Amino acid sequence: MDTIKDEFIRLCETDKYLIESNLHFIGKGSGRKVYAIDENYVIKVPRNTSGVLQNKVENNIFNSANESLKEYLCPIEYYKNDIIIMKRALPLNSIITNRGLNMLQILNTRKKSEFFKEMKPLLKYYDLLYEDIIAISSWGILNNKPVLIDYGCTNKIYDKYLV
């Protein structure tokens, strides 16, 4: 009997076109496409070099972050062959329809708030793109808590591949 880890290994070793044709497409960003494996997990497949690097950064951040920062990160369950398998959170932008808002506005907070103080080391240490981290599209709800579902874009990746 296959375990969930066996399934993750199989998926990460599957041809990307088979993933695209067999899993439910959820969305895409500049460097990655996201597919639902089931109601509990998603798979992030790189579309280009930027996506490969974003998956690598996201995996590195999750595996090196301290516990207080991990509270804000959607858990990565498996990483191999430039592909990430992550817990499936409810994307915040599927709940909040006002695209002009960001997380600071939603949480009714300022740069001096506790939330921002917690996010600052994440932004600084990992050189994450500020606009990405406060964007509604980068957040989801998992276990009734807000978590970052997209935290792989550094300023360096953005400047080199996305400008």
Side-chain angles (χ1 to χ4, degrees):
M1 176 182 277
D2 285 347
T3 65
I4 191 76
K5 186 172 180 182
D6 293 331
E7 178 67 11
F8 292 165
I9 292 168
R10 186 188 64 72
L11 278 169
C12 288
E13 293 175 350
T14 300
D15 181 88
K16 291 174 184 161
Y17 297 106
L18 288 174
I19 291 171
E20 290 178 2
S21 60
N22 291 314
L23 296 178
H24 174 71
F25 175 75
I26 296 176
K28 66 180 178 177
S30 59
R32 305 180 285 183
K33 290 182 179 179
V34 182
Y35 299 88
I37 296 172
D38 57 24
E39 57 279 341
N40 298 310
Y41 301 99
V42 298
I43 187 167
K44 293 182 174 186
V45 180
R47 300 170 56 198
N48 50 38
T49 303
S50 167
V52 169
L53 294 172
Q54 287 178 51
N55 277 354
K56 184 177 183 175
V57 167
E58 223 166 66
N59 184 61
N60 288 339
I61 290 172
F62 185 75
N63 286 299
S64 66
N66 64 40
E67 291 306 311
S68 66
L69 285 178
K70 275 190 179 180
E71 288 183 36
Y72 294 101
L73 304 176
C74 194
I76 293 175
E77 298 294 319
Y78 195 76
Y79 172 77
K80 187 175 182 182
N81 298 337
D82 303 322
I83 293 174
I84 279 180
I85 296 179
M86 181 181 268
K87 286 278 193 181
R88 186 175 181 180
L90 177 65
L92 205 52
N93 61 1
S94 70
I95 303 167
I96 298 170
T97 56
N98 184 344
R99 301 288 183 244
L101 294 176
N102 64 45
M103 279 305 286
L104 295 176
Q105 293 164 318
I106 290 167
L107 296 172
N108 195 23
T109 188
R110 293 181 293 281
K111 287 188 175 183
K112 294 180 180 177
S113 73
E114 198 62 38
F115 173 80
F116 193 79
K117 286 178 188 171
E118 300 254 349
M119 289 290 100
K120 201 170 184 178
L122 188 67
L123 288 160
K124 277 187 113 167
Y125 184 77
Y126 296 106
D127 189 38
L128 295 179
L129 189 65
Y130 175 78
E131 292 80 8
D132 244 16
I133 297 304
I134 66 166
I136 293 172
S137 60
S138 293
W139 289 83
I141 302 295
L142 183 66
N143 300 325
N144 296 315
K145 294 187 328 189
V147 291
L148 275 164
I149 57 175
D150 184 2
Y151 51 96
C153 191
T154 64
N155 286 295
K156 186 176 180 179
I157 292 170
Y158 180 80
D159 291 342
K160 186 168 183 176
Y161 298 101
L162 303 174
V163 173

